[in-house]
């Protein structure tokens, strides 16, 4: 299993990065991306702290560890520049907090994340058909989430992504050790969103391919 959306004490989790890595490993994950909530005020701080740890712990913890950010509540007009800035600061992965039904993210965030070339658009809420088609064109991965508060629109995301040919990933948006769900729970959430077994495997494959690209880039 792979989780590309994990939070630590550098944003709104009580887990230190090492704790998050350890509990992910114990839950059976083979790769994680630490992606704390970030904007222009703190992304440099997060990445300066987490990048060295990710590189070092990935060698010894029995799990691949990557350092990124989840751009959150950034005004849509600034998101493409924020994505570029995060990459310039060394982010291995850039996630954007999408227009979840559980939050008040500004309208236009989904489109800006896709326009800016984010790696993953997290919990995109009532994703439009046009944005899903653009995500397919741009290669932006759309998230099915196991986090209950954001999972309200999983079914809509699955249907809209399918119609557009956009690729999906399955993430936990982990904030606590209990959020690293088992393979069985992960599959059940995906099935509950309406994904067919072949679509679940395609989502897992998309995550494996992204991790392979990150590993190559880190060499």
């Amino acid at each position: 299993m792979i989780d590309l959306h994990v939070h630590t004490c550098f944003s709104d989790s009580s887990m230190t990065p090492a704790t998050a890595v350890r509990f992910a490993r114990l839950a059976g994950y083979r790769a994680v991306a630490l992606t704390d909530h970030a904007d222009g005020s703190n992304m440099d701080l997060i990445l300066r702290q987490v990048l060295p740890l990710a590189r070092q712990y990935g060698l010894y913890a029995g799990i691949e560890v990557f350092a990124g950010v989840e751009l959150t509540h950034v005004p849509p007009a600034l998101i493409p520049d924020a994505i570029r800035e995060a990459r310039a600061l060394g982010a291995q992965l850039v996630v954007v907090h999408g227009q979840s039904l559980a939050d008040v993210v500004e309208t236009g965030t989904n489109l800006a994340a896709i326009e800016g070339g984010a790696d993953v658009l997290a919990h995109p809420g009532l994703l439009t058909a046009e944005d899903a088609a653009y995500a397919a064109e741009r290669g932006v991965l759309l998230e099915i989430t196991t986090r209950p508060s954001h999972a309200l629109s999983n079914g809509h995301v699955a249907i809209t992504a399918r119609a557009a040919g956009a690729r999906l990933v399955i993430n936990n948006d982990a904030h606590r050790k209990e959020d690293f769900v088992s393979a069985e729970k992960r599959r059940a959430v995906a099935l509950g969103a309406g994904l067919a077994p072949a679509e679940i495997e395609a989502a897992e494959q998309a995550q494996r391919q992204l991790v392979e690209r990150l590993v190559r880039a880190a060499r």
Side-chain angles (χ1 to χ4, degrees), residues 17 105 107 120 148:
V105 174
T107 300
V120 177

Side-chain angles (χ1 to χ4, degrees), residues 121-201:
L121 175 57
H123 37 66
L126 299 180
L127 180 73
T128 67
E130 293 78 13
D131 286 354
Y134 196 25
E137 177 187 331
R138 297 277 290 159
V140 175
L141 302 171
L142 304 175
E143 183 183 83
I144 297 295
T145 179
T146 68
R147 189 166 182 79
S149 60
H150 291 311
L152 296 171
S153 58
N154 273 349
H156 172 82
V157 173
I159 290 169
T160 308
R162 179 187 297 131
R167 302 186 78 188
L168 296 168
V169 291
I170 304 166
N171 286 325
N172 292 320
D173 193 0
H175 288 69
R176 305 172 303 157
K177 64 182 182 180
E178 295 84 1
D179 293 336
F180 292 108
V181 301
S182 66
E184 293 76 15
K185 178 64 175 291
R186 181 184 175 95
R187 181 176 177 81
V189 169
L191 289 170
L195 296 183
E199 292 174 315
I200 297 173
E201 173 54 31

